[in-house]
Amino acid sequence: MRGSSRVYGDRGGGGVGGETAAFLAAALCGLLLLTGAADAQSIQRPTAYKTLKGETPLVIAKGGFSGVFPGSSEAAYSFASIASAPDTSWWCDVQLTKDGVGICLGDMDLKNSTIIATVYPARKSTYVVDGASKVGWFSVDFNMSELQNVTLTQAIWSRTDKFDYYGYPILSVTDLPVVVKGLPATVTHPSMWLNVQHDIFYRQHGLNMRSYILSTLKSVSVNYISSPELGFLQSISRRVSSKTKLVYRFPDKITSDPSTNKTYSLMLSNLTLIKETAAGIMVPKSYIWPVTGDNYLLPPKSIVQDAHKAGLEIYASDFANDRIIPYNYSYDPLQEYLSFVSNGDFSVDGVLTEFPITASEAIGCFTTLNASKVDHGKPLIISHNGASGDYPDCTDLAYQNAIKDGADMIDCTLQVTSDGVLICMSSINLLDTTNVQTTSFSSLATVIPDIQGAAGVFTFNLTWNNISDGALRPKISSPLSQYYLVRNPKYANQGKFVKFSDFLEYGNDKDLSGIMVIIEHAAFMAESLGFDIIESVTTALSDAGYSNGTAKEVMIQSEDSALLVKFKQQNTKYKLVYTLPQGIGDASSSSLADVKEFAHAVVIDKSSVFKQSLHFIINQTNLVQDLHTAGLAVYAQVFRNEFVSQPWDFFSDATVEINSYVQTVKVDGLITDFPKTVRRYKRNSCTGLGNDAPAYMQTVNVGDLANLIKAQGVPDAQPPAVAPMPVLNESSVDQPAFPPVTPKNAPPGSKPSDAYAVAASACSLLVLACAALLI
C-alpha cells in the first residue's frame, strides 16, 4: 500500500510551459530506440478492416500512457504519442473546477489520482454521484488557482508510484495543445478526445459543461466528444463542426441514462435513436465478448455488426495490460486486442486503452501475419514443460498444444519411477506437480537431503502404473500464485502423464526442429537408485530413431557439468546444453573456456541479462555477448505472459519483452510457457523492417525508465542500489567426476555420506495435510 506522507517534486500544478513540455518529450523519446519512421509504410495490413468504413481501428490512449505514468499527465500524453500508432488519440476525462475550468482527470474525485488529500486534508466532502453517496475531494470544491500545488499520482495502486514524485501538474484542456507542441518533430500530432461523464452533476452545482466545451472548441481542435448522457450530446450537436464526432458512451455499471431516464439496455436496442445525434457508440468490451463468472469467454454478441448496420462506429473500452483478462487469452493482452480488431467476423472502430503501445502492436503488426508455415530459424521457440501456461506441465495436452502453438522444440525433464520407467515430469517431487497429497500415496512422504530439506513424495517412490492409473492427477503450475494469478482453471487437473518413449514419438512425428531432454539429479539416480540415466537415455533415443543422422536434433540439457562431460566422452552426436547458475551477471574467460569444452550451448535465466531494482531495469549485462564470443549458443528462460513477470520497462507486455530479447540481446532461443506468443511474434508483419519498424515495435532503451526517475532528484523515488551480480568462475563449473552406478541390488542409501531417506517428521506430515486442504 502507498503511504500518504511523501516528499514530492517541487513543480507546481495547474499548467505547463512549452519549454517544459519539449524537454519532457525529448527525455521520453529516449525510452524507445527510435531509429525509424513513426509508422513504416511497408507494414502489411488488411486491405480493409471490418470497421464501419474499412479504416484502421483507432488507438485511444486513456489519459495518455496511464498504465505507466500518472494518468492525464504530460508524460503520459507525450509518451502515448511517442510509443504508439501515429494517429493515436489523447483521451481527456473533462472535470470542471469551482471556477469553471475544464481539467483532465479520470474522476471528479481527485483523491486517487492526485495528492489533494495531503495538500487539503480538511476539504473532504460528500456528494451524490450516479445515485450513490460518495466521499472524497471533488473538483467542484476547488478553484483552479487552489490546484496549483496539487500534483498527479498513479491512480492504480498496483502500478509503480515512482513517477508520482516528479510533480506532474494537473492539466487543463487548453494545456493539451501546448503539450502537443513539445512533441518531437518526427512524432505525428494526436487527435483529441474529450469525454464528459457527468454533465448533469455539474449543472446541479452551478457549472455549465456545455458552455465550457463549446467555448473550448474555438481554440482547441477536438476530434471526438463522448458522453453517457445523450441529452448532453444533443445539446451540443448543432454547435459542433462536422470534423468533431459525437460518441454515445455506455458505462459499465450504471443502469440508466440520467438525461433520458431510459435504461442503457433499452438504449442499446434503439441504435437508430442514437444515430440521430451521434456518429458512434462506445461500449465496455464485455458488451462484445461476454465473460462467464469463472472468467471464460462466451460467444460474441452481434453488437458490432448491429452498430455498423445502423451506420454507427463502435469503440470498445476497458483495456489494460495489467488486469485479469479471460483465461482464453492466456494472459496475453495483445491476443485480446486481436479478438476485437481482427477475428475474421468483425472489427471495432477503436479501442480505449491505458497501454496504447500494445494496441498499436496488435493493429499495426499482428492483424496480418506472415505465412503460417513454421519457421525453425532463430530464435528457436523451446517449450517449457510443454505449453505449461495453459495445461499441466509435461502432460499429453501440454505437449500436443505446444506443437500446435508453434514450438520449434519441445522439452522433457526426465524423472524415473520405482520400476525404472523414464517419464517426463517438471519436478521429481510429486507434491509440486500432482494431487498426490490427496491420495493414499501421501503416506510415502520422506525427507531426502540429497534432493530437498522438506518432505516429498518422489517419482521413484511410485511405479509407472501407480502414476498412470488415474488416482493421481496432474496439477497445473502457478509460478505467480503469490500475485493471485492462476492459470486456466478448467484444465488445472486435465491431461495424462507421459512416458519418455511417448514423448519421443511426439517429437518424431510432428513438424519440430527437435527435442530438448533435461536431466536432473543424475548423480543421485546413479548412487542412490542404481539407475544409469546416461545409458537409459542413449538407448531410448536410439530405439526411437534419433541416432540415425536423419531424425530431428536432440539437445541434452543439465546443470551438472560432470554429466555433460560424461556424454561428451562417449562421443555423443547430441547437442549438449549447460544450464548456468541463476542470477549470474558475468563469467570469467577461463570458465567460458571450460564450458566450451563440454557444451555447445547454455541456458541462462532472464535475471542474468538485465540487472533490476524494484522491477526497473538498471542495465544490461555483457553475459550474452561474452557467451557468443566464446562460441556458445544462448537460450534464455523462462518467458511468461503474466504481466507481473516482466520489468516495468516492458509495459506489462510479453511481446515488448520478447522483442527486446530478440532484437537487442540477440538470444538464440527463448524457453517459454506460452509457445504461441513467441510463434506469433516471429510471424508478425513488421519482422524484417529493421530500422524502418514503427515506434511501437522498436526495442526498449535499457535503463531509461530508471534514469528518468533518477533525474527527478527525489531520494524517496530512487530504486535502491543493488549488489554486484555473481560471476561464473572455474570452480562454479568444475564438478567431481560423474559417479559410477551403484548395483541395483545394493540397499538404497548405501552411500556412507548420508542416509537415503529420513522418515518424514510430524511437522512435515502436517505440511502435507495442510496442502491437501488447499486442493
Side-chain angles (χ1 to χ4, degrees), residues 3 30 129 139 171 179 285 287 375 481 520 523 565 604 637 645 668:
V129 181
S139 62
L171 299 178
V179 179
K285 59 187 181 180
Y287 277 42
D375 167 23
S481 59
E520 300 175 342
V565 168
I604 63 171
Q637 68 175 11
S645 70
D668 301 281

Side-chain angles (χ1 to χ4, degrees), residues 89-90 173-174 176-177 180 190-194 215-225 241 243-244:
S89 190
W90 288 2
V173 176
T174 54
L176 294 180
V180 171
S191 58
M192 295 292 174
W193 190 309
L194 302 183
S215 174
T216 300
L217 291 176
K218 297 175 182 178
S219 58
V220 179
S221 177
V222 177
N223 305 83
Y224 304 87
I225 299 174
S241 162
K243 296 180 180 179
T244 301

Side-chain angles (χ1 to χ4, degrees), residues 108 127-129 138 140 198-205:
M108 64 171 67
Y127 288 100
V128 175
V129 181
F138 293 83
V140 294
H198 295 104
D199 170 57
I200 290 177
F201 174 88
Y202 288 113
R203 277 195 279 133
Q204 290 171 343
H205 295 86

Side-chain angles (χ1 to χ4, degrees), residues 23-32 69 74-76 78-79 82 168 708:
F23 173 80
L24 180 62
L28 293 169
C29 230
L31 295 180
L32 295 175
F69 299 99
E74 301 165 62
S78 297
F79 194 57
I82 290 167
Y168 293 112
L708 190 61

Side-chain angles (χ1 to χ4, degrees), residues 151-275:
T151 56
L152 298 169
T153 61
Q154 175 56 256
I156 307 298
W157 287 18
S158 58
R159 295 171 181 167
T160 180
D161 65 352
K162 295 305 180 183
F163 299 105
D164 297 359
Y165 295 87
Y166 193 86
Y168 293 112
I170 295 174
L171 299 178
S172 69
V173 176
T174 54
D175 285 329
L176 294 180
V178 180
V179 179
V180 171
K181 289 181 180 178
L183 293 172
T186 55
V187 174
T188 304
H189 286 191
S191 58
M192 295 292 174
W193 190 309
L194 302 183
N195 181 59
V196 176
Q197 197 73 9
H198 295 104
D199 170 57
I200 290 177
F201 174 88
Y202 288 113
R203 277 195 279 133
Q204 290 171 343
H205 295 86
L207 296 169
N208 194 321
M209 181 67 79
R210 176 181 183 274
S211 295
Y212 175 78
I213 292 295
L214 293 176
S215 174
T216 300
L217 291 176
K218 297 175 182 178
S219 58
V220 179
S221 177
V222 177
N223 305 83
Y224 304 87
I225 299 174
S226 60
S227 177
E229 298 177 8
L230 187 62
F232 171 73
L233 296 178
Q234 290 170 335
S235 74
I236 66 172
S237 61
R238 297 180 182 275
R239 298 286 302 277
V240 300
S241 162
S242 59
K243 296 180 180 179
T244 301
K245 294 181 178 180
L246 302 184
V247 178
Y248 185 52
R249 187 182 186 194
F250 287 80
D252 191 17
K253 297 178 180 178
I254 309 167
T255 58
S256 297
D257 179 345
S259 71
T260 65
N261 291 322
K262 295 179 180 179
T263 64
Y264 284 107
S265 60
L266 181 62
M267 296 295 290
L268 195 61
S269 68
N270 196 352
L271 297 177
T272 303
L273 173 64
I274 297 172
K275 182 66 174 69

Side-chain angles (χ1 to χ4, degrees), residues 21 81 239 585 610 774:
S81 285
R239 298 286 302 277
F610 294 113
L774 294 175

Side-chain angles (χ1 to χ4, degrees), residues 520-538:
E520 300 175 342
H521 308 294
F524 173 83
M525 291 182 188
E527 293 181 303
S528 296
L529 303 182
F531 187 80
D532 190 338
I533 186 69
I534 296 176
E535 174 63 26
S536 297
V537 168
T538 303

